[in-house]
């Protein structure tokens, strides 16, 4: 029986894009189901009742949520073109840096770009330090995964890509080629990869989406200030 | 010959998770207690990114982040597995370990440091919902791992033991026997487990430490 793979996703979500790239790197056939996260479907609420978020992967009837959990599942179920290194220490290192992207970089960026919950200046400095740490992990390699795209590349690329879009909308220059040449070289390699680009929508569409989302966030913040 | 070292702190549930996994697998290790107020060169060298415990050193290679270390331990010493072998069940275990970390422990942490009473009430309500969800995952089993302790039980160690002390010290009544009978039964089983017992910090010492810290303006480390 052929595998039945479906991905419930929001096209603009970097977390969903991660899963798509993992599936593509494994050469898997899958069906995309677009979700309207502002009007959540029964399918989403039933398949991910805990978080009610995308991405959700369906495989032969099983539903799996959380992007890294899904990526590990994909890597273990289809063992060709591995996303994680073979040796346990290499795997631990990859998981460490993937967690670093989500626990540190992602959260710091919200402060640095949006001034969320904390003073923006603190976020900007910390963001810079964390990007430098990522560069340190890349140094000398084509990809975080070594010679080929791996778990950490997938984890980091789509998040970094969104920051590029946010920077255009906000006219911010926190992440520049001058400050982070190693990171930009790595980004360029991934942007030149067809499978990676297949996971992204045209940039004008993405820009318009981020612009709209940021203005909603600004409005919410403004009304909170008024109410306070 | 295997050389396994663990840099830890007696009070840290994260550090104790790693100890628990090593003990469950019967892996011998050298424990090196850290003074987090005065971080050692060793710690700063082994975990330059976060400068935190636990750090596992195996044959000279270092690893940080407790859940990452647990996966390493399970892959390196496959006896007495703490993760299921089936990819889907393994995915579920990872999902719940992450849920515990982000929602349960994360929620508790915010409550412990929240000074605003109204906000704290809201956080307690939110956390209560998360604990109800977690309780549902026990599904009539003795442990989250089934008959035996697994990754999810290990990840839940703060809830299993430390939370009781925090509630005593702070007067918070979030997870009580009448509200969460099933979860409390799990907590009883957890702390009575012969190997888990070896990894629990002394209750009176923990109590005193929390009393000192929860009164302070912010967690020192």
């Amino acid at each position: 029986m052929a595998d039945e793979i479906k991905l419930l996703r929001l096209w603009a979500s970097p977390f969903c894009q991660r899963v798509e790239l993992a599936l593509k790197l494994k050469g898997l056939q899958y069906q995309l189901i677009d979700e309207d996260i502002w009007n959540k479907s029964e399918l989403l609420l039933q398949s991910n009742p805990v978080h009610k978020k995308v991405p959700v992967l369906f495989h032969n009837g099983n539903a799996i949520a959380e992007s890294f959990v899904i990526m590990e599942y994909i890597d273990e179920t289809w063992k060709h073109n591995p996303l994680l290194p073979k040796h346990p220490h290499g795997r631990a290192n990859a998981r460490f840096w993937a967690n670093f992207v989500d626990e540190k970089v992602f959260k710091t960026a919200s402060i640095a770009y949006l001034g969320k919950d904390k003073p923006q200046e603190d976020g900007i400095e910390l963001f810079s330090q964390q990007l430098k740490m990522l560069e340190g992990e890349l140094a000398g390699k084509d990809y975080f995964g070594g010679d080929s795209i791996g778990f950490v590349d997938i984890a980091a690329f789509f998040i970094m890509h969104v920051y590029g879009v946010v920077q255009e909308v906000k006219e911010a220059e926190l992440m520049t080629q001058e400050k982070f040449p190693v990171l930009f070289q790595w980004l360029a390699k991934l942007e030149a990869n067809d499978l990676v680009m297949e996971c992204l929508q045209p940039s004008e569409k993405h820009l318009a989406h981020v612009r709209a989302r940021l203005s909603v966030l600004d409005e919410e913040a403004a009304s909170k200030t008024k109410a306070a | 010959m295997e050389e396994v070292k663990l840099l830890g702190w007696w009070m840290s549930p994260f550090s104790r998770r790693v100890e628990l996994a090593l003990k469950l697998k019967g892996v011998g290790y050298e424990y090196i207690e850290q003074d987090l107020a005065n971080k050692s060169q060793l710690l700063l060298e082994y975990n330059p990114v976060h400068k935190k415990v636990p750090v596992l050193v195996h044959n000279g290679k270092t690893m940080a982040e407790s859940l990452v270390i647990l996966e390493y331990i399970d892959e390196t010493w496959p006896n007495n597995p703490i993760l299921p072998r089936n990819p889907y069940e393994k995915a579920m275990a990872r999902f719940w370990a992450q849920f515990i970390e982000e929602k349960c422990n994360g929620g508790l942490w915010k409550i412990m440091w929240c000074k605003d009473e109204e906000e704290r009430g809201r956080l307690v309500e939110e956390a209560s919902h998360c604990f109800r969800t977690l309780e549902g995952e026990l599904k009539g089993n003795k442990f989250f791992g089934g008959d035996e302790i697994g990754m999810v039980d290990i990840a839940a160690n703060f809830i299993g033991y430390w939370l009781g002390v925090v509630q005593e010290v702070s007067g918070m009544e979030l997870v009580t026997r009448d509200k969460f009978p099933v979860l409390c039964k799990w907590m009883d089983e957890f702390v009575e487990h012969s190997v888990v017992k070896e990894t629990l910090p002394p209750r009176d010492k923990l109590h005193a430490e929390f009393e000192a810290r929860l009164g302070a303006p912010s967690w020192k480390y």
Side-chain angles (χ1 to χ4, degrees):
Chain A
M1 192 195 87
D3 277 320
E4 203 197 42
I5 306 170
K6 299 185 196 185
L7 173 61
L8 186 59
R9 63 122 194 209
L10 171 68
W11 66 266
S13 156
F15 304 101
C16 298
Q17 288 157 359
R18 284 172 176 171
V19 176
E20 243 202 296
L21 182 55
L23 291 168
K24 284 182 189 291
L25 287 168
K26 298 274 185 180
L28 296 166
Q29 298 298 313
Y30 58 93
Q31 186 196 335
L32 287 171
I33 309 172
D34 281 305
E35 176 66 38
D36 177 3
I37 62 168
W38 294 281
N39 197 6
K40 294 179 183 183
S41 68
E42 260 319 296
L43 182 64
L44 178 59
L45 298 176
Q46 273 177 26
S47 60
N48 189 4
V50 175
H51 298 299
K52 305 176 179 59
K53 284 182 175 177
V54 287
V56 181
L57 186 82
F58 298 91
H59 178 221
N60 295 344
N62 286 325
I64 301 156
E66 295 298 289
S67 61
F68 290 161
V69 174
I70 299 171
M71 282 162 62
E72 295 247 21
Y73 174 83
I74 290 170
D75 210 33
E76 281 160 10
T77 305
W78 296 279
K79 296 192 196 293
H80 60 281
N81 295 359
L83 308 176
L84 279 168
K86 222 171 159 180
H87 191 278
H89 183 254
R91 298 161 75 82
N93 193 50
R95 287 173 179 137
F96 175 90
W97 286 104
N99 280 352
F100 182 79
V101 169
D102 270 8
E103 288 303 305
K104 299 291 176 189
V105 178
F106 182 70
K107 292 182 181 171
T108 308
S110 297
I111 307 168
Y113 284 114
L114 309 176
K116 193 176 183 206
D117 300 332
K118 286 186 184 160
Q120 220 159 344
E121 317 78 62
D122 297 347
I124 291 169
E125 177 57 37
L126 196 55
F127 188 54
S128 189
Q129 286 171 14
Q130 288 170 352
L131 291 182
K132 276 272 167 255
M133 285 178 179
L134 275 178
E135 279 200 321
E137 181 53 23
L138 254 177
K141 296 186 288 186
D142 278 347
Y143 303 102
F144 288 100
D147 295 327
S148 58
I149 295 174
F151 201 94
V152 181
D153 300 280
I154 303 172
F157 174 76
F158 296 105
I159 300 282
M160 298 283 137
H161 181 82
V162 164
Y163 299 151
V165 181
V166 169
Q167 288 198 153
E168 246 190 89
V169 173
K170 288 241 148 193
E171 290 170 14
E173 281 191 348
L174 305 185
M175 221 173 69
T176 63
Q177 184 144 17
E178 295 70 46
K179 290 186 215 168
F180 305 103
V182 173
L183 218 52
F184 269 74
Q185 197 173 32
W186 164 79
L187 278 164
K189 274 199 197 81
L190 283 154
E191 280 158 6
N193 184 299
D194 287 340
L195 291 182
V196 172
M197 294 317 280
E198 279 176 30
C199 301
L200 296 169
Q201 296 284 316
S203 50
E204 312 79 53
K205 186 177 175 185
H206 209 170
L207 254 167
H209 173 87
V210 171
R211 196 164 271 135
R213 286 304 304 149
L214 289 179
S215 87
V216 167
L217 288 171
D218 284 339
E219 271 171 39
E220 284 172 2
S223 66
K224 264 191 206 159
T225 324
K226 262 191 216 154
Chain B
M1 204 199 94
E2 305 252 49
E3 199 198 42
V4 183
K5 297 185 198 192
L6 173 62
L7 275 66
W9 184 45
W10 71 273
M11 198 174 165
S12 160
F14 307 103
S15 163
R16 296 293 190 164
R17 281 171 176 171
V18 176
E19 278 191 80
L20 178 50
L22 290 169
K23 284 181 192 289
L24 283 167
K25 305 246 180 195
V27 177
Y29 61 96
E30 182 195 341
Y31 178 76
I32 310 171
E33 175 73 9
Q34 297 301 297
D35 176 2
L36 298 182
N38 212 0
K39 293 180 181 182
S40 68
Q41 257 317 107
L42 202 66
L43 179 61
L44 299 176
E45 193 190 309
Y46 285 170
N47 190 1
V49 173
H50 300 301
K51 307 176 179 58
K52 286 181 175 179
V53 293
V55 176
L56 187 77
V57 189
H58 180 214
N59 293 338
K61 293 201 188 286
T62 63
M63 269 146 289
E65 293 299 285
S66 62
L67 296 180
V68 172
I69 298 172
L70 292 186
E71 297 246 17
Y72 176 86
I73 290 171
D74 207 38
E75 285 169 9
T76 306
W77 295 280
N79 61 305
N80 298 359
I82 57 176
L83 275 168
R85 287 299 173 247
N86 170 279
Y88 174 68
E89 286 168 36
K90 205 184 240 194
M92 291 302 102
R94 286 181 175 132
F95 176 90
W96 288 107
Q98 214 171 296
F99 178 80
I100 285 164
E101 199 75 306
E102 278 172 30
K103 299 288 182 186
C104 302
N105 289 354
L108 285 171
W109 195 252
K110 284 186 206 162
I111 295 168
M112 280 160 69
W113 297 106
C114 181
K115 303 295 176 192
D116 177 72
E117 215 175 301
E118 201 184 314
E119 175 67 1
R120 195 165 57 238
R122 192 192 65 77
L123 290 170
V124 167
E125 169 107 19
E126 204 176 289
S128 197
H129 180 74
C130 292
F131 280 100
R132 185 67 63 206
T133 304
L134 183 66
E135 194 181 46
E137 264 320 285
L138 275 163
K139 297 178 179 162
N141 291 321
K142 192 173 173 188
F143 297 111
F144 291 102
D147 294 325
E148 250 310 327
I149 283 192
M151 168 94 134
V152 181
D153 301 275
I154 303 175
N157 69 338
F158 185 88
I159 301 165
Y161 180 72
W162 279 253
L163 177 57
V165 182
V166 167
Q167 292 195 142
E168 250 173 54
V169 169
S170 65
M172 166 172 53
E173 285 186 351
L174 174 54
V175 178
T176 59
R177 222 162 266 281
D178 48 282
K179 286 188 218 163
F180 294 94
V182 175
L183 193 59
C184 287
K185 182 163 183 296
W186 169 80
M187 286 157 71
D188 293 337
E189 297 283 4
F190 183 75
V191 299
E192 278 307 304
H193 187 284
S194 57
V195 183
V196 171
K197 267 191 205 180
E198 293 174 32
T199 67
L200 302 178
R203 204 179 175 93
D204 48 356
K205 203 173 166 194
L206 200 61
H207 195 279
E209 276 296 327
F210 272 125
E211 247 183 357
R213 285 157 190 285
L214 289 176
S218 70
W219 191 268
K220 280 187 238 120
Y221 39 82

